[in-house]
Amino acid sequence: MTYNKMLSFNDLKNKTLENNSLLKQNEKNIAISEFNIKINKASYLPSLNFNASYGYNRTRNENLINPFGAKLITSDGLNAGVNLTWNIFDGGSTKTRIANSKIALENQQILLEQQKITIENNLKNTWENYQNQLFILKAQETNVLTTENNFKRTQERYKLGQVTSIEFRQAQINLINSKTALNNAKYDAKLIELQLLQLSGDILNVDF
């Protein structure tokens, strides 16, 4: 089992803040709140409407007599107009909507900062756990070497009749326990490493 010992806390922190789906959603909510403020402020501005129409009329009159013998009358025309409206007296509803939109924006911004702090603290705690687990792993590796050497010495002394079978059996148990503790330390270290990579959104790049 291998471990990524090149992990950098600052890199993980930047990736975590960049890739966290909860933060992204909150950033979108902030953008929506800012847009709502602009929409509500637009009510203060006048509204300009433009309209245009085109008319065409054709009339056939069999009783019409003229020097040219034409019995059709046609007419067409283009009409256009501009309408400017400005709602000056709205009972303060526009001001209220803008104030509510600003409050919603402030709440979203506060929530975003709180989420960032929570996520950073979670990442920091996980990082410290990872460093502690790597230290424990190294200590367990050293312990296995020690118990292996102790078992070999005990085995030689047992063959020479210098130790009892109980002492020999205890050396075996100590070796088995140290190897078990080492395997547990390996598992715990890898598990925390995966948690770090999951927090940073880099879990797909893990090599098993």
Side-chain angles (χ1 to χ4, degrees), residues 137-150:
L137 175 60
K138 195 171 186 64
Q140 292 296 346
E141 290 174 344
T142 302
N143 186 49
V144 168
L145 294 177
T146 301
T147 54
E148 283 180 342
N149 291 332
N150 182 64

Side-chain angles (χ1 to χ4, degrees), residues 2-206:
T2 59
Y3 303 90
N4 189 347
K5 297 183 180 180
M6 298 301 293
L7 288 176
S8 167
F9 177 76
N10 289 332
D11 290 342
L12 289 172
K13 178 181 175 181
N14 293 334
K15 287 182 179 180
T16 300
L17 296 179
E18 180 181 353
N19 298 326
N20 187 272
S21 59
L22 187 62
L23 295 181
K24 286 185 176 181
Q25 181 61 49
N26 202 282
E27 289 171 353
K28 289 182 179 179
N29 292 337
I30 288 177
I32 293 174
S33 298
E34 292 174 342
F35 187 67
N36 286 335
I37 293 176
K38 293 180 181 179
I39 291 176
N40 291 322
K41 284 184 176 181
S43 299
Y44 284 135
L45 303 175
S47 177
L48 181 65
N49 298 318
F50 176 80
N51 58 79
S53 63
Y54 177 78
Y56 175 79
N57 184 42
R58 178 179 179 181
T59 303
R60 182 180 182 87
N61 192 338
E62 297 292 342
N63 299 323
L64 181 64
I65 299 176
N66 59 51
F68 304 102
K71 296 181 179 181
L72 292 175
I73 299 176
T74 60
S75 63
D76 57 7
L78 177 65
N79 296 318
V82 176
N83 183 27
L84 181 66
T85 59
W86 197 352
N87 187 11
I88 301 177
F89 304 102
D90 62 353
S93 60
T94 299
K95 183 178 180 181
T96 301
R97 289 196 302 271
I98 293 175
N100 291 337
S101 299
K102 288 182 177 180
I103 292 174
L105 174 60
E106 291 175 358
N107 289 337
Q108 292 292 343
Q109 291 172 335
I110 293 173
L111 179 60
L112 178 62
E113 292 304 315
Q114 291 175 341
Q115 290 171 342
K116 284 183 178 180
I117 293 174
T118 300
I119 291 171
E120 287 180 11
N121 288 338
N122 188 21
L123 178 66
K124 183 179 180 181
N125 292 335
T126 307
W127 172 262
E128 291 177 352
N129 289 339
Y130 182 58
Q131 298 304 313
N132 290 336
Q133 195 59 45
L134 290 179
F135 175 80
I136 292 174
L137 175 60
K138 195 171 186 64
Q140 292 296 346
E141 290 174 344
T142 302
N143 186 49
V144 168
L145 294 177
T146 301
T147 54
E148 283 180 342
N149 291 332
N150 182 64
F151 173 74
K152 290 178 181 179
R153 287 195 301 269
T154 303
Q155 188 177 39
E156 292 297 327
R157 294 178 65 190
Y158 178 72
K159 291 178 181 180
L160 296 174
Q162 296 177 351
V163 297
T164 64
S165 60
I166 295 177
E167 291 174 317
F168 176 72
R169 180 58 180 164
Q170 187 60 51
Q172 284 182 320
I173 293 174
N174 291 340
L175 179 59
I176 293 173
N177 289 340
S178 66
K179 288 184 177 181
T180 300
L182 175 60
N183 289 332
N184 290 336
K186 288 180 179 180
Y187 173 80
D188 292 339
K190 176 55 71 172
L191 183 62
I192 299 176
E193 181 182 283
L194 294 178
Q195 291 175 351
L196 279 174
L197 296 174
Q198 185 179 28
L199 287 173
S200 67
D202 203 25
I203 190 68
L204 297 179
N205 294 333
V206 177

